[in-house]
Amino acid sequence: MDTLTVAKRQERMARIKSCGTRPELQLQGLVRGLGYHYQKNDECVPGSPDVTLTRIRCAIFVHGCFWHRHRCDAGRRVPKSNVRFWTGKFALNIARDRRVGRELRKAGWRVLVVWECQLRDHRRVARRIRAFCAQR
Ligand SMILES: [Zn+2]
């Protein structure tokens, strides 16, 4: 079995999915439902967050649990083959998330991370987003 090919393919699939994925659309739908005017993937903002509310300087990301290593079952999963490849990849993602978070805060943004698994409870996420945006 050519495991590298499998890993590469999975990576590629994930990359394709990372643009306009369902979690992103769900997040954007929730923000829209709350009546906020938002921008998506604004490239002028560090990390081009999934959602930015420019006027109140709020940035919201939806992170895939597996790729960004959430403390849930999906985020603890490590494929059995090519462990070094995966752990390296995960470390890069985590480092990047931290760097982007720092850059955003330095530039005066507030940052909210919504995990993919949390989107299962729409109402709860919507409440969190509303509370986050209402904070000053
Ligand atoms: Zn999760």
Side-chain angles (χ1 to χ4, degrees):
M1 200 174 85
D2 190 350
T3 50
L4 188 77
T5 306
V6 172
K8 279 253 158 69
R9 190 182 308 125
Q10 283 173 344
E11 189 203 3
R12 201 160 303 146
M13 277 166 61
R15 204 175 291 151
I16 291 162
K17 264 171 62 187
S18 77
C19 201
T21 58
R22 269 186 51 212
E24 273 178 52
L25 296 179
Q26 280 181 47
L27 173 69
Q28 287 157 3
L30 283 170
V31 174
R32 199 166 39 241
L34 290 169
Y36 289 108
H37 179 71
Y38 67 91
Q39 243 104 25
K40 45 187 175 183
N41 308 116
D42 186 345
E43 288 183 7
C44 302
V45 180
S48 54
D50 297 306
V51 164
T52 44
L53 304 160
T54 310
R55 206 160 40 81
I56 57 173
R57 278 184 107 67
C58 288
I60 310 175
F61 291 90
V62 59
H63 278 350
C65 299
F66 176 72
W67 290 102
H68 297 266
R69 303 279 90 188
H70 188 213
R71 290 172 205 280
C72 68
D73 287 347
R76 288 197 179 97
R77 205 158 47 79
V78 179
K80 288 198 178 74
S81 57
N82 272 343
V83 173
R84 271 182 64 188
F85 165 81
W86 290 106
T87 48
K89 181 111 190 100
F90 295 146
L92 283 176
N93 285 347
I94 290 167
R96 183 178 178 279
D97 291 342
R98 288 202 183 125
R99 181 172 47 75
V100 165
R102 272 197 308 271
E103 281 174 29
L104 281 166
R105 287 185 196 97
K106 231 201 244 169
W109 292 87
R110 290 189 304 118
V111 182
L112 178 69
V113 171
V114 173
W115 293 95
E116 193 179 354
C117 66
Q118 294 170 338
L119 284 171
R120 282 185 219 129
D121 190 342
H122 273 205
R123 274 195 215 162
R124 196 164 168 198
V125 176
R127 272 201 304 274
R128 251 182 85 206
I129 293 169
R130 195 171 26 195
F132 171 74
C133 294
Q135 270 171 36
R136 280 313 171 99

